[in-house]
Amino acid sequence: KQWYQRRVAITAGHPRLREGLIEAKEYAYRQLVHFPMTETGSIPYATRGRYHRTELHAIPTSSDQDNKAQRVVKELLDLAGYKNVAVKMYGRNSVESLVKAFFVTFHNFESHQQQADRLGRYVVQFDPETYFMPSVLAKPRDDSKPVPFSAEIHESSQRLK
């Protein structure tokens, strides 16, 4: 024990070791992941993600429910600090696939403005408290042509025939 304690005391004062520790700390900060969360600790909206043959569907639940998910996913939700989230899993349930699918799923979140810009359409919310009157959450910044829905593509191809 004494030899080990002396060795640690000697290397702790070594300048290259300090530089290595500082580099390791900076690397750890760069690897931190940010998951968006509402004021209640839930996810902003339902989302899904897929990693190989594992697919996860995450849905926000009412405020009186705990996280509902497969054991590994529930632990990840608790570690991330989420509450009131239900996650349905499809496909493989190996731990590695579940963890990677979790990160893919929860990195899929984008703001309402990003959605509007990407799709070229208005993002609206139908609130039951206002009798489902739509309220605009975001509108596209540029006047580019919107991405067509699959039904619009089908209709336009029928007209060409």
Side-chain angles (χ1 to χ4, degrees), residues 17-122:
L17 181 67
R18 278 195 200 131
E19 291 172 8
L21 289 173
I22 290 171
E23 272 185 47
K25 182 179 176 183
E26 290 172 356
Y27 177 77
Y29 278 120
R30 285 193 306 266
Q31 299 302 315
L32 288 177
V33 179
H34 170 73
F35 293 127
M37 190 179 297
T38 62
E39 294 84 24
T40 61
S42 185
I43 56 177
Y45 52 87
T47 186
R48 63 179 64 186
R50 180 184 201 125
Y51 176 77
H52 289 288
R53 293 186 177 181
T54 303
E55 188 170 345
L56 297 179
H57 296 237
I59 305 162
T61 59
S62 61
S63 61
D64 59 338
Q65 295 181 350
D66 289 335
N67 292 333
K68 291 185 178 181
Q70 196 264 0
R71 181 183 55 85
V72 173
V73 177
K74 185 172 181 173
E75 289 296 324
L76 289 170
L77 287 169
D78 292 339
L79 283 172
Y82 281 114
K83 301 174 189 165
N84 314 323
V85 179
V87 179
K88 178 71 176 158
M89 183 206 59
Y90 298 98
R92 295 185 61 206
N93 64 350
S94 69
V95 174
E96 179 185 2
S97 293
L98 283 172
V99 170
K100 290 183 179 180
F102 177 84
F103 279 93
V104 168
T105 303
F106 286 83
H107 275 162
N108 282 343
F109 287 111
E110 57 187 1
S111 70
H112 296 300
Q113 188 62 50
Q114 289 170 334
Q115 283 180 336
D117 292 340
R118 180 174 53 85
L119 297 173
R121 298 186 181 271
Y122 285 84

